[in-house]
Amino acid sequence: MRDGVAVDGWLFFAVAALLAVGITMVLSTSYLYSQERFGDGTYFFRKQLIAAGVGLVALFISALLPPAAYRRFAYPLLALVLLLLILILLPGIGVERGGARRWLSIGGFAFQPAELAKLSLVLYLAHSLAKKADKVGIFSIGVLPHLVVGGLFLGLIVVEPDLGTALTLGLVLLLMLFVAGAKWSHLALIGLSALPVLAFAVIGAEYRLRRLLTFLDPWRDASKSGFQIIQSYIAFGSGELWGRGLGESRQKLFYLPEAHTDFIFSVIGEEMGLLGALSVLALFAIIIVRGLRLAAKIEEPFSQQLTFGLTTLLGLQALIHMGVVMGLMPTKGLVLPFISYGGSAMVMNLIEAGMLLSLSRGRR
Amino acid sequence: MKRSFAGIKFRLALAGVFFLLLFLAITVRAFQLQILEGEKLKRLGERQHLKEWIVLPKRGTILDRSGEPLALSLEGQSVYARPHRLKESQAVGRSLAQALAMDPAEVMQKLAVDKPFVWVKRQVTPKEAERIEALNLDGVGIYYEPNRYYPQGQLGGQVIGFVGRDSQGLEGVEMHYNHYLRGESGSSLVERDALGRRVLVQGVEELQIPPGSDIQLTLDTSIQHLAEKELEASVAKYRAKAGIAVVVEPFTGEVLALANYPYFNPNNFTRQSSDQWRNRAVTDSFEPGSTFKTILAAAALEEGVVGKEDLFYCEYGKYLFAGRIIHDAHEYGWLPFSKIIQHSSNIGVTKVAEKLNKERYYKYIEKFGFGQATGVDLPGEATGVVRPVGKWAMIDLATHSFGQGISVTPIQLLMAYGAIANGGFLMRPFLVRRAVGPDSRVLWENQPHVVRRVISETTARTLTSILKGVVDDGGTGVMASMEGFEVAGKTGTAQKPDLVRGGYSAKKRVASFIGFVSADDPRLVMLVIIDEPEVNVYGGTVAAPAFRNIASASLQRLGVVPDKLTPQPIPAVAMQEASLTRLERSNDRGVVREERALEVPDFIGLSLREAVEKARALKLKVEMRGNGYVIKQSPAAGATWGRGEMLTLNLQG
């Protein structure tokens, strides 16, 4: 083991490779759409390049900061995010797109507070769980406060509405509580009490119910509600083993909605085949494996919790995106970290990666 | 519980297992979708990406006989919408309605349809298309599709017909010759995006489709124009309901003009009723009335039961036959056969019909082509109604002889008169001369077709001289006579059958005049029908002047030199002089005949049409046998031979 500035090379390699694949795929998937909408095929690509540049700078800065420095941001960030999440719900402040208020416009840049909320919640949980390390098994101290803060976040995100992000965060919360040592019985209780809330959320909004039914059998209504997921199947199927070749996707010709964001993995499957899809999966596997190994090695509670939380956050988003586009989970608009188009997510994901790299420093 | 590092490691391991399971699920699913079901899904994808792209060729042009375009295909623009893609269909609907000058409710209704594609408005004007372009609406676009344009508007509208939106002929020549005009549509598999647009794949050549063939009509635009103008004037003057005028070349059967009033403009066929676009000269039949007496006369002459000057007693206007009284408009006593036709005596023709008998009469009705389609190259031809002779009652012999109880189409009647004009041949009428491919190659040519010989040349000549009398002073058709040309023809004033009450309508008449000119060297045979005139009902008054006007202008247009260079004397004083003129004329011919003995020209290899034209130019009498091209002629080419002789041509092909 060398002590010093060396970071986890595997982790850095995986992130860099995903970023390269991502930038390429954004160009491939957005070109025609962008051409269609703005008369400029590289519009999205250029915006993504800028986001990646900003994100890389942020990655290096966060990688250079010592993990202990993050801890100081835990509460201020929590407060800021709560404020922002409330602000975007107010008409006139939040930017509405496609029926959802998920964006804040700051100086011409649309920004998604939910992306910041992900990091903020992980940071808060790591801090709080580390602080209460010995009392996590006590419900009122180790579980309840986290449930209240997490529930507040989730609730605010659900009403945007962005159920996908909320569910992802819920899972991250549960996993972090679990690893921190929460009792099985407490976790089971949370799970059981979450069920009616979930059921209410699904049945309460007709489109969510429809989505769920479509998930169960997309072919039942192949031309309408099942259309999207079937188009995604077709993309994967058309890729077969080797793929059609980069840029050769047919499904991105408006058969797939949002091919450059919510369905980008389908286009990867179509253009680069099973081998390409599994390669991307393998890159995420590297991040998760390295992250979990790192968490297992770290003894300092905050760093350990933060490592596990960030790894889970990045890994779960990727796995859920893939599961959704392959029809293993009900359709939700979730982006693939480092790959999908979207500035807020790109910058935040790279900051998260930078933090992981910082955590890995000197622990090899 | 004390925080235990081992416990956390265990829990981290369990979390790792959780992730491992997710990874496995995704790997298995990817393998299933991409390998196991890959082929099936790929095919499914191809079904939506690859679309057979059918390219309609540019439809051929329809030209008149001198090459004047009557129907052209232009590139048109249509506006479509993709309702599923519309974001704010209310706002889009409003701006579309405004830009296209449509009813907003109608546009909304179209946009509300649950379909991926709807036409908002087809065949928009360039201005409208420009406005739509300017709006730049998401989910709204312009599609280029060929548009049919009829540069002459209503001219010959019912003959030309019209075309549906996908280049299918729906009426007239457009329909009958759709096969040639439409051309072969081509198709290729092309990739399409989800909006149905073609994806340009590099290296794939744009599909080149040869256009459809052009169709050249026998119709002469200027004669058609004349006919339409005169017909409309007569209908207006006599406050009639409708009118028909048809002009045919008697030796070939080529239709030079065919007018149906009220006229029909194929440029906006949707706004006109089907009554208006029907070509009634071909699709409708009517009771011919007195014009049908000529058919009886032909039969009686051919069968030798009457001579031109045989006398018949006309009973002074009332004649009891088969239990019914037959009336004449004027009272006559003894009349020679020729005068019976000239004065159009019903009693006279009844007596001729009695002498002929119904079986022989019926045989000629059939031979002249009544009750059968003429085979004209237009859709929807009617056959008319001729009851078989076995079902004739006694009275039918009389009524048929003056054109009642039988129905014929205008084109049938015209071709029957054409047979009298051309020396006895029933010709098949036709409107299309040829089809010319895109490379200017003649793909197909219509040939004059002799259906059969109906009467002998002698009978035809005798009949012609009788019909000349109709137009002479004392005849019913004096108003058809014209300066410089002799007209042979017959008037008709038919009662219209009352379809509601049975029998005949008290007031409604069909006035007609049919004839050919010049009588002895006919260049055209023409029928003018005026339906339900109110001011005056007699064919000789209502239809004959239109005949005269159309005929004289047409002959001028065709460049025919008048028979008689001296002005036609005023009919009222000139009965004698008229016959004198005729004498002079026959003298004239005699001189020509005596002057020269000719070398027989060569006809071998000519088409029927060319042979007819050549014979006419050389003023030769020709008998044609068969169809197609001349393979044998007698006497042979080069032989010396006098003008009066008959040249026989055998055709085949």
Side-chain angles (χ1 to χ4, degrees):
Chain A
M1 245 190 244
R2 283 185 297 127
D3 209 279
V5 289
V7 295
D8 187 333
W10 280 103
L11 204 56
F12 186 73
F13 160 74
V15 171
L18 285 170
L19 195 61
V21 171
I23 299 255
T24 313
M25 289 317 293
V26 164
L27 179 63
S28 170
T29 50
S30 72
Y31 191 86
L32 283 168
Y33 177 64
S34 176
Q35 184 73 44
E36 180 92 343
R37 270 190 60 180
F38 303 103
D40 172 6
T42 59
Y43 179 78
F44 285 126
F45 175 65
R46 284 186 283 114
K47 279 187 78 171
Q48 185 76 343
L49 271 184
I50 292 169
V54 172
L56 277 175
V57 171
L59 177 141
F60 285 116
I61 292 171
S62 45
L64 287 173
L65 289 174
Y70 304 139
R71 207 163 178 170
R72 267 177 261 139
F73 290 107
Y75 287 112
L77 202 57
L78 195 68
L80 175 68
V81 166
L82 274 175
L83 182 71
L84 292 177
L85 286 178
I86 292 166
L87 272 180
I88 57 168
L89 294 178
L90 302 177
I93 299 177
V95 179
E96 190 168 335
R97 285 186 203 164
R101 288 180 191 280
R102 295 179 186 173
W103 292 267
L104 263 185
S105 188
I106 302 165
F109 279 96
F111 167 73
Q112 284 198 56
E115 290 298 331
L116 191 58
K118 290 174 189 169
L119 174 63
S120 167
L121 186 69
V122 168
L123 195 58
Y124 156 75
L125 285 175
H127 167 73
S128 179
L129 287 170
K131 198 172 71 184
K132 296 165 184 166
D134 298 334
K135 299 167 193 134
V136 171
I138 303 162
F139 190 79
S140 60
I141 299 173
V143 178
L144 195 61
H146 307 123
L147 279 185
V148 170
V149 173
L152 191 58
F153 269 50
L154 263 59
L156 284 169
I157 293 172
V158 166
V159 295
E160 281 183 8
D162 188 354
L163 191 65
T165 299
L167 277 177
T168 310
L169 276 183
L171 269 175
V172 170
L173 172 64
L174 274 181
L175 280 168
M176 286 184 76
L177 283 174
F178 170 69
V179 169
K183 281 188 176 157
W184 288 95
S185 57
H186 294 162
L187 293 171
L189 191 71
I190 297 168
L192 282 177
S193 55
L195 276 181
V197 176
L198 212 61
F200 178 78
V202 167
I203 295 164
E206 199 231 332
Y207 75 97
R208 284 182 192 140
L209 185 65
R210 225 177 320 118
R211 251 182 210 169
L212 192 69
L213 292 175
T214 299
F215 164 66
L216 296 175
D217 183 12
W219 304 95
R220 199 173 47 98
D221 191 8
S223 66
K224 280 197 325 205
S225 56
F227 183 79
Q228 297 191 358
I229 193 64
I230 286 173
Q231 293 306 325
S232 182
Y233 289 166
I234 291 174
F236 280 106
S238 307
E240 295 178 295
L241 184 63
W242 295 98
R244 284 185 191 268
L246 200 59
E248 294 296 311
S249 164
R250 296 292 174 268
Q251 289 299 97
K252 70 185 179 191
L253 302 172
F254 311 102
Y255 291 99
L256 279 174
E258 310 285 325
H260 58 305
T261 58
D262 296 352
F263 283 93
I264 201 161
F265 193 62
S266 316
V267 180
I268 291 175
E270 186 182 2
E271 296 195 345
M272 310 207 281
L274 180 67
L275 294 179
L278 290 185
S279 302
V280 170
L281 185 65
L283 291 172
F284 280 107
I286 290 174
I287 292 176
I288 292 175
V289 168
R290 297 307 292 183
L292 290 181
R293 280 184 53 150
L294 187 61
K297 278 182 204 155
I298 297 174
E299 289 176 32
E300 195 271 304
F302 171 69
S303 293
Q304 187 182 43
Q305 282 298 332
L306 188 61
T307 305
F308 178 73
L310 292 172
T311 305
T312 304
L313 181 62
L314 289 172
L316 265 186
Q317 288 188 82
L319 289 166
I320 291 176
H321 174 97
M322 294 175 184
V324 164
V325 298
M326 288 182 170
L328 293 173
M329 294 173 210
T331 327
K332 250 164 255 100
L334 280 176
V335 295
L336 186 58
F338 309 116
I339 293 187
S340 286
Y341 171 79
S344 315
M346 174 60 85
V347 172
M348 291 317 298
N349 289 332
L350 285 173
I351 287 175
E352 285 147 23
M355 289 165 74
L356 272 181
L357 289 172
S358 165
L359 288 160
S360 74
R361 201 141 35 101
R363 304 210 176 263
R364 303 197 51 184
Chain B
M1 189 180 120
K2 192 104 176 104
R3 180 187 157 87
S4 102
F5 190 63
I8 285 186
K9 267 196 155 178
F10 174 68
R11 290 206 169 192
L12 275 171
L14 281 183
V17 170
F18 169 72
F19 280 114
L20 184 69
L21 289 176
L22 287 182
F23 273 104
L24 274 178
I26 284 170
T27 308
V28 167
R29 182 65 165 169
F31 184 78
Q32 183 205 0
L33 285 176
Q34 304 201 258
I35 307 298
L36 300 181
E37 291 179 18
E39 209 162 311
K40 189 188 93 189
L41 288 167
K42 193 173 188 170
R43 260 205 315 278
L44 197 64
E46 268 157 14
R47 243 175 38 207
Q48 63 182 14
H49 304 145
L50 297 179
K51 203 61 180 233
E52 194 177 26
W53 186 267
I54 294 175
V55 182
L56 285 180
K58 185 171 178 249
R59 196 175 173 85
T61 304
I62 299 179
L63 307 152
D64 90 332
R65 71 187 290 128
S66 50
E68 187 87 18
L70 296 173
L72 295 167
S73 280
L74 307 170
E75 190 98 302
Q77 301 172 28
S78 291
V79 176
Y80 65 82
R82 309 225 171 241
H84 289 171
R85 282 192 70 213
L86 295 175
K87 298 235 167 59
E88 289 143 9
S89 56
Q90 288 288 325
V92 168
R94 270 195 301 276
S95 27
L96 280 178
Q98 199 182 9
L100 298 172
M102 290 170 77
D103 176 25
E106 188 194 342
V107 177
M108 293 299 178
Q109 206 185 338
K110 286 183 172 176
L111 297 185
V113 174
D114 184 24
K115 276 190 199 158
F117 181 102
V118 288
W119 289 116
V120 179
K121 189 174 183 181
R122 293 185 81 169
Q123 309 294 3
V124 300
T125 65
K127 200 99 204 135
E128 287 171 329
E130 210 174 276
R131 283 202 290 265
I132 294 295
E133 297 268 24
L135 284 174
N136 192 24
L137 296 166
D138 224 9
V140 175
I142 292 173
Y143 182 79
Y144 292 85
E145 52 177 359
N147 187 7
R148 198 72 165 154
Y149 173 61
Y150 302 90
Q152 303 270 14
Q154 66 176 31
L155 192 84
Q158 292 103 337
V159 172
I160 298 162
F162 56 89
V163 174
R165 264 142 182 183
D166 298 307
S167 187
Q168 77 280 26
L170 294 178
E171 267 293 344
V173 168
E174 293 271 34
M175 180 177 179
H176 202 86
Y177 288 92
N178 191 44
H179 169 70
Y180 282 111
L181 290 163
R182 188 170 211 258
E184 295 290 322
S185 49
S187 70
S188 65
L189 282 181
V190 292
E191 303 237 16
R192 315 218 302 179
D193 69 15
L195 313 179
R197 298 174 304 193
R198 289 181 64 176
V199 178
L200 290 176
V201 180
Q202 279 189 338
V204 176
E205 282 281 307
E206 190 73 17
L207 196 58
Q208 291 292 332
I209 302 283
S213 309
D214 294 346
I215 287 289
Q216 184 164 33
L217 302 183
T218 59
L219 220 60
D220 183 308
T221 305
S222 48
I223 297 181
Q224 177 75 25
H225 181 75
L226 278 166
E228 290 187 5
K229 198 180 77 186
E230 288 298 332
L231 185 64
E232 184 171 4
S234 296
V235 169
K237 184 172 176 188
Y238 295 101
R239 291 209 295 275
K241 200 179 87 179
I244 291 171
V246 187
V247 185
V248 166
E249 214 289 345
F251 287 92
T252 59
E254 290 174 40
V255 179
L256 297 174
L258 198 165
N260 286 281
Y261 185 86
Y263 300 129
F264 161 72
N265 187 341
N267 282 320
N268 43 22
F269 68 90
T270 47
R271 264 174 265 156
Q272 293 160 82
S273 72
S274 63
D275 271 355
Q276 228 165 320
W277 71 52
R278 218 171 54 232
N279 192 340
R280 285 170 287 118
V282 168
T283 61
D284 289 16
S285 46
F286 73 115
E287 288 205 5
S290 299
T291 51
F292 208 67
K293 287 172 181 161
T294 308
I295 307 305
L296 174 80
L301 285 169
E302 182 74 10
E303 288 293 317
V305 299
V306 294
K308 192 181 166 188
E309 301 307 328
D310 288 4
L311 291 170
F312 290 85
Y313 183 59
C314 291
E315 312 276 347
Y316 286 97
K318 275 183 189 163
Y319 176 45
L320 184 69
F321 178 83
R324 272 180 45 190
I325 296 169
I326 293 163
H327 296 274
D328 268 342
H330 301 279
E331 294 167 7
Y332 302 107
W334 287 95
L335 279 181
F337 178 56
S338 59
K339 296 279 181 195
I340 286 174
I341 302 300
Q342 189 191 7
H343 298 313
S344 202
S345 162
N346 293 341
I347 296 167
V349 291
T350 304
K351 294 205 165 179
V352 174
E354 277 183 87
K355 224 176 152 186
L356 179 65
N357 84 33
K358 61 181 180 183
E359 280 77 19
R360 279 193 289 185
Y361 182 24
Y362 180 76
K363 186 173 89 187
Y364 283 89
I365 292 176
E366 277 205 306
K367 273 181 101 177
F368 270 108
F370 296 105
Q372 311 137 36
T374 61
V376 68
D377 44 358
L378 285 172
E381 189 183 2
T383 59
V385 179
V386 179
R387 270 181 292 147
V389 68
K391 291 189 176 165
W392 285 20
M394 196 57 186
I395 187 70
D396 286 332
L397 181 63
T399 54
H400 282 30
S401 70
F402 46 84
Q404 285 187 355
I406 188 167
S407 81
V408 307
T409 64
I411 193 78
Q412 279 175 340
L413 193 63
L414 193 62
M415 296 323 287
Y417 272 74
I420 297 161
N422 68 23
F425 297 100
L426 182 67
M427 303 299 292
R428 184 199 58 186
F430 62 99
L431 269 149
V432 170
R433 275 190 131 166
R434 57 186 165 206
V436 182
D439 48 359
S440 306
R441 199 163 45 91
V442 175
L443 298 175
W444 167 85
E445 197 157 13
N446 213 343
Q447 296 293 345
H449 173 86
V450 178
V451 178
R452 66 181 80 87
R453 180 179 262 287
V454 184
I455 50 173
S456 70
E457 180 151 11
T458 321
T459 303
R461 291 205 175 283
T462 311
L463 203 49
T464 301
S465 72
I466 293 173
L467 293 177
K468 280 194 240 178
V470 173
V471 183
D472 271 344
D473 195 31
T476 52
V478 188
M479 289 176 93
S481 66
M482 63 187 75
E483 215 173 277
F485 297 97
E486 269 193 305
V487 177
K490 183 74 190 79
T491 57
T493 310
Q495 292 168 285
K496 284 190 95 170
D498 190 320
L499 299 174
V500 183
R501 279 179 290 176
Y504 286 91
S505 158
K507 274 193 191 160
K508 291 179 181 170
R509 298 286 188 276
V510 178
S512 59
F513 188 89
I514 181 166
F516 44 95
V517 63
S518 299
D520 294 314
D521 182 15
R523 295 299 301 274
L524 40 92
V525 56
M526 186 198 310
L527 166 65
V528 175
I529 296 175
I530 307 292
D531 192 14
E532 295 183 21
E534 279 180 3
V535 180
N536 187 311
V537 297
Y538 293 103
T541 312
V542 177
F547 178 98
R548 177 193 61 216
N549 295 345
I550 299 169
S552 63
S554 301
L555 289 169
Q556 204 177 348
R557 149 82 189 158
L558 294 172
V560 181
V561 182
D563 303 328
K564 302 168 276 188
L565 290 167
T566 47
Q568 170 92 329
I570 303 152
V573 270
M575 184 107 173
Q576 266 182 314
E577 276 178 293
S579 54
L580 225 157
T581 335
R582 224 172 302 146
L583 262 172
E584 278 168 15
R585 210 171 150 265
S586 58
N587 261 344
D588 217 52
R589 285 231 165 141
V591 173
V592 177
R593 248 176 238 158
E594 282 157 30
E595 248 177 15
R596 294 189 212 161
L598 279 178
E599 218 174 69
V600 178
D602 189 2
F603 281 82
I604 304 291
L606 297 182
S607 70
L608 178 54
R609 184 214 310 279
E610 290 161 342
V612 167
E613 277 169 5
K614 183 166 182 176
R616 195 164 58 203
L618 297 169
K619 298 212 184 275
L620 298 177
K621 281 199 267 178
V622 183
E623 175 154 346
M624 312 268 185
R625 290 181 188 154
N627 271 312
Y629 296 88
V630 180
I631 50 158
K632 203 181 127 196
Q633 72 178 74
S634 85
T640 323
W641 151 87
R643 270 269 180 190
E645 251 180 285
M646 172 81 82
L647 178 67
T648 309
L649 301 178
N650 290 341
L651 295 93
Q652 213 173 64

